[in-house]
Amino acid sequence: MKVPGVPPAELPDLNRAQDRISFVYLERCVIHRDSNAITATDEKGIVHIPAATLGVLMLGPGTSITQQAMMLIADNGATVVWVGEHGVRYYAHGRPLARSSRLLVAQAAAVSHRDRRLRVARAMYRMRFPGEDTTNLTMQQLRGKEGARVRRCYRENAQRTGVSWNSREYDPDDFTGSDPVNQALSAAHACLYGIVHAVVVAVGASPGLGFVHTGHDRSFVYDIADLYKADVTIPVAFDIAAAESTDIGADTRRAVRDRVHNGALLGRCVQDIRRLLLTDSAAGPINEEEFDEEADNDAVRLWDEGGLELAGGRNYGGYVDF
């Protein structure tokens, strides 16, 4: 029997995570579906957003969304984030774009092995310290170097913009309780976390299996987001504070959107995640074309303790002695 309605998109028809719109923020509107597009309706009219091009949809105050719209977003592997007035909460995501579990298995294996986890953590820090050798540094030494780097980044941006800087202070439950630059930092980081979470989910990794951060359902999101703060969110926050914005949340979101688009962060994020999880020191860099082909494979296989992968959807009752 034919199922009524518009069929879900086929995997080859979907845009890759790195080719999508980083995020779209909507508020005070009704979100519905029109064929394979998301529609946002308010008193000014209707805007159509192709679902296959969307990375993350941020829903602010006054929004309502239909089941049909959510089904379309899930089918297209996009992420939905319900946010408060200043975008400080994350609630849901859709199905991954990747059908292969290769990244997830590699991530779980690495995070479960002390030496491999340390190797990935060192690689993450090495990406933040260009030209420095982190091979023999302990996690305590790496945390110390990172703390000094972040303090230097704050100080340099304060000097660049003329914004007064004391320290990073914020209350997740009181956005306006901190000074303008800290408000802008909170809003910018919230956008970055949403973007990175969308990419992590889209490529089939686990948001909760972190290497530096641990114990939280977004530990890996924080790991990856920390790679880009010095280049993206910290400069944006100081620019917004220097401009004496009267709507810090909205102005910061727009500035992050422009910075992310111009800097091609989505593609960079996808490549960084793949290299961190799939590069083996003995085997060298991953083959990107081979990985893309495997990630597009929608087959479900069966595990065997002998290391084999058997075809799924078959009855093996005639091949096994009980």
Side-chain angles (χ1 to χ4, degrees), residues 202-309:
V203 299
S206 168
L209 296 181
F211 293 84
V212 176
H213 296 83
T214 189
H216 192 277
D217 66 344
R218 301 183 79 189
S219 293
F220 190 56
V221 174
Y222 299 140
D223 280 357
I224 300 300
D226 278 355
L227 302 177
Y228 315 121
K229 287 181 179 178
D231 295 333
V232 180
T233 53
I234 294 177
V236 162
F238 277 88
D239 289 342
I240 294 298
E244 299 182 351
S245 168
T246 58
D247 191 346
I248 291 177
D251 289 343
T252 301
R253 283 193 299 272
R254 285 190 286 268
V256 171
R257 177 196 61 199
D258 295 340
R259 187 101 175 192
V260 166
H261 174 74
N262 294 336
L265 179 65
L266 288 177
R268 179 181 171 188
C269 188
V270 170
Q271 297 303 318
D272 287 344
I273 292 172
R274 288 180 178 179
R275 289 193 172 95
L276 284 167
L277 298 182
L278 296 180
T279 298
D280 187 287
S281 57
I286 63 171
N287 184 318
E288 298 291 345
E289 293 183 359
E290 178 183 327
F291 177 82
D292 285 336
E293 181 178 346
E294 180 177 304
D296 289 342
N297 187 352
D298 206 16
V300 178
R301 295 178 288 274
L302 304 177
W303 175 80
D304 184 84
E305 73 270 22
L308 301 175
E309 289 187 353

Side-chain angles (χ1 to χ4, degrees), residues 36-266:
N36 283 320
I38 298 298
T39 63
T41 305
D42 63 9
E43 68 277 3
K44 297 178 182 178
I46 302 176
V47 175
H48 286 72
I49 306 167
T53 67
L54 187 61
V56 55
L57 181 65
M58 301 180 72
L59 304 183
T63 53
S64 61
I65 186 167
T66 66
Q67 182 193 37
Q68 290 298 315
M70 283 301 305
M71 289 170 58
L72 178 62
I73 291 170
D75 285 341
N76 283 274
T79 298
V80 177
V81 186
W82 276 268
V83 297
E85 188 69 32
H86 302 288
V88 295
R89 293 288 185 272
Y90 177 96
Y91 293 111
H93 65 259
R95 184 182 181 186
L97 281 170
R99 298 300 185 253
S100 167
S101 63
R102 183 184 179 190
L103 265 178
L104 181 60
V105 171
Q107 182 184 12
V111 82
S112 302
H113 189 282
R114 179 185 176 278
D115 291 342
R116 294 177 65 182
R117 181 171 185 169
L118 181 58
R119 187 161 64 240
V120 174
R122 284 170 172 164
M124 288 179 171
Y125 281 112
R126 186 164 57 248
M127 294 166 72
R128 306 181 216 179
F129 312 136
E132 296 190 33
D133 185 7
T134 64
T135 305
N136 298 314
L137 296 181
T138 66
M139 290 301 295
Q140 182 177 354
Q141 291 171 325
L142 290 168
R143 286 192 297 268
K145 288 177 68 67
E146 171 65 0
R149 184 187 76 104
V150 171
R151 285 195 300 271
R152 184 170 62 251
C153 184
Y154 285 140
R155 184 171 62 250
E156 290 173 350
N157 278 279
Q159 293 172 350
R160 177 180 64 85
T161 59
V163 172
S164 176
W165 173 256
N166 295 313
S167 63
R168 179 74 173 113
E169 296 178 355
Y170 67 99
D171 181 352
D173 297 319
D174 184 11
F175 179 79
T176 59
S178 54
D179 59 23
V181 68
N182 273 293
Q183 291 180 39
L185 282 167
S186 295
H189 292 341
C191 292
L192 180 61
Y193 294 149
I195 295 166
V196 171
H197 200 141
V199 173
V200 168
V201 170
V203 299
S206 168
L209 296 181
F211 293 84
V212 176
H213 296 83
T214 189
H216 192 277
D217 66 344
R218 301 183 79 189
S219 293
F220 190 56
V221 174
Y222 299 140
D223 280 357
I224 300 300
D226 278 355
L227 302 177
Y228 315 121
K229 287 181 179 178
D231 295 333
V232 180
T233 53
I234 294 177
V236 162
F238 277 88
D239 289 342
I240 294 298
E244 299 182 351
S245 168
T246 58
D247 191 346
I248 291 177
D251 289 343
T252 301
R253 283 193 299 272
R254 285 190 286 268
V256 171
R257 177 196 61 199
D258 295 340
R259 187 101 175 192
V260 166
H261 174 74
N262 294 336
L265 179 65
L266 288 177

